[in-house]
Amino acid sequence: MGVLILGGGLAGCSLAYFLDSNSVILEKEARLGGLCRSYQLNNIIYDIGPHALFSKNKEVLSQITSLTETNVLRRSNKIYHKNRLVKYPFENDLAALAETERDYCLKEFLNNPYEVYHPHNMLQFFLKTFGEGITKLYLQPYNEKIWKFDAAFMDTQMVERIPKPPKDDVIQSARGIPTEGYTHQLYFHYPCEGGIEQLITALAKRIASKTTIVNPVGIRTIECNNKCWTVETDQGIFTGETLINCMPLHEFCTYIKIPQKVQTALNNLKYNSIHIIVLQARKDNMGDNFAFYVPERNIIFHRISKMNFLGKNYCLKDKGSTIMAEITYRPGSYLADLSRDEIRRTVIDDFDKIDLVKKNDVFDSEVRTFQYAYVIYDLDHRKNTDTVLSYLANQKIFCCGRFAEFEYLNMDAVFEHSYALAQKLNEEL
Ligand SMILES: Cc1cc2nc3c(=O)[nH]c(=O)nc-3n(C[C@H](O)[C@H](O)[C@H](O)COP(=O)(O)OP(=O)(O)OC[C@H]3O[C@@H](n4cnc5c(N)ncnc54)[C@H](O)[C@@H]3O)c2cc1C
């Protein structure tokens, strides 16, 4: 009778690490890690979207980076805007824009009629905080591309922590004096080798003596009788007095009976899936940069990144680069139905179109698709998430992790949440 953890992603593995008691992790896939798994193309390792380690919480960051050796890298990200490269964040490099667009952004920022309003959705927040120019040229198209959702139908939970850029910084940036924004992400860590999955490997080693890991496993039923949880699987029956769900809510709720009201709320929780396309090319025009954000609507991907930036272990030996493109899509939308070949062809054509990688230089590529990538903060997200989570909490089911809590949690936040939950359970058990 111990702790049953359902899902062996970062949340499940870090929970087992922080718990004093023994636990059992039941993981569906043959490999632990969930979104923190890494893959290889011609021995070059890549993640499900490059996973940079950074945090405002220095204690958590040092806890994570103590698990494995990391390189510390300085951000070098660009926004691809109408054939120009603008340093990220956009408002810190307005001088890179054409003169009329630069003035549009600066003047609307300094004389912003929306400043006085309380924002009720993401679009209003952008207009209030950044003004019309920066919103219309970059923030709105980029966000609508990654979320595949109209910014007027998204709430402000995710953006409300974004500080208003200092006026002087934006004025300087328009004059051609570059400034830095979002400084907590300016430097980031990345494992020296093995990709982000190295974190999971390190955690798996540390939890081995106190954790039973069962994978791949097919869960059949979950029941609770007399305060004892019983999980029946294709690998046997597991029991525990504490049940922690770390898998996506949409998956977990298929194993239990929930009232209609909760089912309706669950059905209305929206998320994006993602196609990850990796290309290897003899040469490219991306320079010594890591990521490029691409707000242009006629280009299929929203972000591209160059693995070479991450260190010598991520570079092809005989020169050339490994480049990743990311395409989000809502399940059921037209992008969900594209075949791998169509995706690959379109991505290569679009790289060629924006002249960052020429078609003829690509010598290998692969496409992978992942169902749960981003929680969408639509206008009803809070209400629906609270309905589902409060029902589960009343059933004494703990939830921890990105899709288990249905929040935009990065790795540092997952760590924070699993640490807090483990501390609470360590005291109780
Ligand atoms: C494209 C992309 C880029 C990202 N970049 C960054 C970044 O740069 N920096 C950063 O800090 N974070 C980043 N993240 C976020 C990071 O990946 C997550 O915060 C973290 O991996 C979430 O871990 P988790 O354990 O909560 O969820 P998951 O990784 O989703 O784990 C859930 C686990 O449950 C398992 N499961 C599902 N169904 C079942 C079932 N029926 N039975 C048993 N097990 C099941 C899954 O297989 C999986 O292992 C990124 C995420 C994405 C999608």
Side-chain angles (χ1 to χ4, degrees):
M1 290 288 278
V3 180
L4 294 178
I5 298 173
L6 309 184
L10 184 63
C13 294
S14 55
L15 254 170
Y17 175 58
F18 291 128
L19 280 170
D20 291 338
S21 59
N22 291 352
S23 57
V24 176
I25 296 180
L26 300 177
E27 165 57 47
K28 181 176 81 168
E29 301 290 340
R31 265 162 65 206
L32 292 175
L35 288 168
C36 286
R37 281 170 297 169
S38 301
Y39 298 85
Q40 291 190 19
L41 179 61
N42 298 318
N43 295 327
I44 299 298
I45 292 179
Y46 66 88
D47 309 328
I48 304 169
H51 272 58
L53 275 165
F54 54 83
S55 186
K56 282 185 178 157
N57 184 337
K58 296 295 156 232
E59 208 181 311
V60 163
L61 187 63
S62 76
Q63 237 174 6
I64 303 177
T65 53
S66 69
L67 291 169
T68 187
E69 209 188 331
T70 59
N71 290 323
V72 180
L73 301 152
R74 192 188 156 99
R75 175 179 74 203
S76 178
N77 296 353
K78 298 275 173 2
I79 293 143
Y80 179 90
H81 175 76
K82 300 184 185 164
N83 283 328
R84 289 167 186 262
L85 293 182
V86 181
K87 193 175 76 138
Y88 171 89
F90 193 82
E91 61 276 14
N92 290 81
D93 190 21
L94 295 183
L97 300 174
E99 214 171 297
T100 44
E101 291 195 331
R102 179 199 65 195
D103 291 351
Y104 175 43
C105 290
L106 182 65
K107 289 193 173 148
E108 294 300 322
F109 176 74
L110 295 176
N111 309 298
N112 184 355
Y114 304 109
E115 212 165 25
V116 293
Y117 295 98
H118 176 77
H120 295 284
N121 60 50
M122 186 190 261
L123 180 59
Q124 291 180 357
F125 175 88
F126 287 149
L127 287 167
K128 174 189 170 76
T129 313
F130 296 91
E132 184 187 297
I134 297 171
T135 300
K136 299 280 176 190
L137 293 188
Y138 168 57
L139 288 168
Q140 186 176 8
Y142 183 72
N143 276 280
E144 291 184 352
K145 203 165 169 191
I146 181 167
W147 300 112
K148 300 291 182 294
F149 219 76
D150 194 298
F153 284 81
M154 292 184 70
D155 75 14
T156 56
Q157 289 180 82
M158 216 178 51
V159 288
E160 63 201 359
R161 279 163 293 169
I162 299 177
K164 191 176 174 66
K167 272 191 177 152
D168 283 348
D169 278 14
V170 180
I171 295 170
Q172 300 264 55
S173 101
R175 285 192 182 134
I177 304 162
T179 50
E180 294 296 347
Y182 308 140
T183 44
H184 71 287
Q185 312 168 346
L186 186 57
Y187 290 92
F188 68 91
H189 290 254
Y190 193 76
C192 293
E193 55 183 5
I196 205 62
E197 193 172 325
Q198 201 63 25
L199 275 188
I200 301 294
T201 309
L203 280 170
K205 266 194 203 138
R206 283 165 172 80
I207 62 178
S209 61
K210 57 171 178 171
T211 315
T212 307
I213 297 171
V214 188
N215 70 314
V217 70
I219 294 174
R220 289 183 184 140
T221 57
I222 300 175
E223 276 174 12
C224 185
N225 285 309
N226 297 328
K227 297 187 177 167
C228 171
W229 288 98
T230 304
V231 180
E232 194 199 324
T233 76
D234 57 6
Q235 307 288 323
I237 292 174
F238 299 87
T239 56
E241 60 194 357
T242 306
L243 185 80
I244 309 177
N245 170 48
C246 296
M247 71 170 93
L249 287 175
H250 295 78
E251 300 294 323
F252 177 74
C253 289
T254 60
Y255 301 119
I256 57 168
K257 280 204 185 79
I258 53 175
Q260 189 51 48
K261 181 175 151 232
V262 179
Q263 186 67 55
T264 306
L266 178 75
N267 294 346
N268 287 326
L269 288 181
K270 298 180 179 59
Y271 63 89
N272 270 339
S273 306
I274 196 162
H275 297 302
I276 300 288
I277 304 90
V278 175
L279 307 180
Q280 287 181 330
R282 279 177 277 278
K283 55 181 195 288
D284 65 78
N285 295 322
M286 289 173 68
D288 193 17
N289 292 303
F290 180 36
F292 289 63
Y293 304 90
V294 187
E296 318 273 301
R297 286 183 205 276
N298 61 343
I299 301 294
I300 194 166
F301 40 76
H302 64 271
R303 179 166 72 163
I304 52 181
S305 359
K306 185 165 162 177
M307 301 303 107
N308 302 49
F309 187 84
L310 296 170
K312 61 178 177 9
N313 288 328
Y314 303 96
C315 297
L316 284 162
K317 276 205 178 61
D318 41 358
K319 282 235 175 152
S321 41
T322 304
I323 293 161
M324 179 188 294
E326 295 166 69
I327 304 168
T328 46
Y329 64 91
R330 256 181 305 114
S333 70
Y334 81 100
L335 284 170
D337 296 333
L338 293 182
S339 71
R340 279 173 187 229
D341 267 350
E342 280 170 310
I343 296 169
R344 190 194 316 263
R345 245 183 293 122
T346 313
V347 165
I348 293 175
D349 283 349
D350 283 359
F351 265 109
D352 194 84
K353 219 189 288 177
I354 59 178
D355 205 24
L356 288 179
V357 181
K358 296 314 285 178
K359 208 186 260 190
N360 291 339
D361 288 321
V362 176
F363 61 83
D364 210 348
S365 63
E366 68 183 18
V367 181
R368 290 180 189 274
T369 295
F370 300 88
Q371 185 178 357
Y372 296 99
Y374 289 103
V375 166
I376 298 179
Y377 283 87
D378 73 312
L379 293 176
D380 291 337
H381 163 273
R382 187 72 275 139
K383 183 184 75 183
N384 290 327
T385 304
D386 288 348
T387 301
V388 178
L389 290 183
S390 62
Y391 174 78
L392 296 179
N394 281 335
Q395 309 300 307
K396 301 273 180 290
I397 296 166
F398 296 97
C399 287
C400 182
R402 186 168 168 111
F403 284 96
E405 296 176 70
F406 220 75
E407 301 290 346
Y408 184 111
L409 302 182
N410 271 336
M411 295 180 287
D412 61 326
V414 169
F415 241 72
E416 271 171 0
H417 288 206
S418 64
Y419 181 72
L421 178 57
Q423 290 297 93
K424 182 176 135 113
L425 294 173
N426 287 341
E427 277 164 29
E428 277 176 19
L429 291 172

